[in-house]
Amino acid sequence: MRNIQYREALREAMQEEMRTDDRIFLMGEEVAEYNGAYKVSQGMVEEFGARRIVDSPISETGFAGLGVGAAMYGLRPIIEFMSWSFCLVAADQIINNAPKMLYMSGGQFGCPAVFRGNNGAGGQLGSTHSWCVESMFSSVPGLKLAVPSTPRDAKGMLKAAIRDEDPVFYLESERMLGLGARGDKDFSRYLANGKWAPPSYEEDDNFVIEFGKADIKKPGADCTIVTAGRPVHFALDAAEELEKEGIDVEVIDVRTYRPLDIETIVNSVRKTNYCVVVDQSWPFASVASEIASQVYERCFDDLDNSIIRVNNDDVPAPYNRTMEQEMLPNARKIAEAVRSVTYNS
């Protein structure tokens, strides 16, 4: 498996797709001359030119709308938001236009656009920059929602998103952009002890990860943890801690909230009989609420306790680092939830 960072995986996905399809272009704030605010698009303007790597002003409504129009016209736009926290000014384009276009036009116009950017707390950026938006956007029919957690998933899922005929809402994290396949918070310790062995990192240009296919990041028998994105790493840390206490958890990375692979979740809960759901949205009407509801509908007779949800605290993100970290889901909170639900607290 190659050792590339999460940001490099995103870049490779866009480069490989753009080399084979000249309808694809990237637009967003500082994606060209500055190489992307977080260097995700480093070197791409030199390779593809300013007509395909397009710097935009700070105008989310404008460039999101341009993307919708370009997709209707037959192009394949990738629209980058520096932070999803500012997407509300473009919500009419993303929620009210892109996913409805096929229906509203009677099938005459699709909208194969990718809207991608950073979601959640970036590290003391304050509440206006640290919002997790998945609960709002995952309720919209017609909009697919991807939440990759590893460099390999980031690449395979972004390539799938670019090729998709529907609009895709693609959630990254500033806190994961430097994540390496074998570096900090990678899965080397799980690889080393044989607990989790990811498939080899394919170099084929056709390497894609199909939407709606969850990945069992760590198999286990005592409790199911369902999550996606950055919290996958918190869940794996919790799993490592719990193993010292004799609690063997199964960590399921759903990878896409829309479509949701409920079958894999249900099969796991029927095996373990306990379930904890983790996501970074606020607790009221969260993604975790929806997943828990679906598990109750299908597994009520299999559950030996109520499902516990672990979300962000129900407050705006604080600037203070200690308070910000405490607001988020973390390994301690997840471990406590598992102990509680399995009657080991």
Side-chain angles (χ1 to χ4, degrees), residues 95-292:
I95 295 175
N96 205 32
N97 287 301
K100 300 178 179 178
M101 198 57 65
L102 189 66
Y103 273 57
M104 290 196 301
S105 68
Q108 295 182 78
F109 298 101
C111 190
V114 178
F115 303 98
R116 49 161 289 264
N118 290 290
N119 181 54
Q124 290 190 271
L125 294 179
S127 61
T128 57
H129 289 67
S130 304
W131 188 29
C132 292
V133 299
E134 49 263 56
S135 60
M136 171 179 286
F137 288 88
S138 61
S139 70
V140 180
L143 189 64
K144 295 179 178 175
L145 200 147
V147 197
S149 65
T150 68
R152 179 180 183 274
D153 287 359
K155 181 173 181 178
M157 292 168 64
L158 184 53
K159 288 169 72 74
I162 295 169
R163 297 181 187 188
D164 205 292
E165 294 299 325
D166 294 316
V168 177
F169 198 78
Y170 193 91
L171 297 176
E172 301 154 13
S173 166
E174 291 161 59
R175 305 294 290 179
M176 291 200 299
L177 290 174
L179 178 74
R182 293 177 182 166
D184 178 51
K185 292 293 182 187
D186 69 3
F187 301 101
S188 58
R189 59 186 184 278
Y190 301 98
L191 290 169
N193 58 26
K195 293 175 184 170
W196 179 65
S200 60
Y201 198 109
E202 296 87 348
E203 299 293 338
D204 190 314
D205 285 355
N206 287 317
F207 163 61
V208 296
I209 293 178
E210 183 181 353
F211 284 4
K213 299 290 185 185
D215 186 32
I216 299 176
K217 287 290 193 284
K218 178 193 171 301
D222 297 335
C223 180
T224 300
I225 300 177
V226 183
T227 188
R230 191 179 173 211
V232 167
H233 303 273
F234 303 146
L236 289 169
D237 286 342
E240 191 173 37
E241 187 65 27
L242 289 163
E243 187 167 25
K244 299 173 185 174
E245 305 168 21
I247 304 173
D248 182 22
V249 302
E250 182 151 294
V251 179
I252 296 180
D253 179 358
V254 296
R255 302 202 286 202
T256 55
Y257 288 138
R258 282 269 199 161
L260 178 68
D261 183 3
I262 190 65
E263 182 178 356
T264 295
I265 299 170
V266 165
N267 289 339
S268 176
V269 173
R270 286 176 176 163
K271 177 180 67 175
T272 65
N273 308 116
Y274 298 101
C275 184
V276 171
V277 188
V278 185
D279 86 275
Q280 293 188 106
S281 51
W282 285 315
F284 191 91
S286 64
V287 172
S289 303
E290 172 62 24
I291 293 174

Side-chain angles (χ1 to χ4, degrees), residues 222-223 247 272 274 305 308 337-345:
D222 297 335
C223 180
I247 304 173
T272 65
Y274 298 101
N305 202 347
I308 293 182
V338 171
R339 292 187 192 103
S340 176
V341 79
T342 56
Y343 305 103
N344 283 286
S345 58

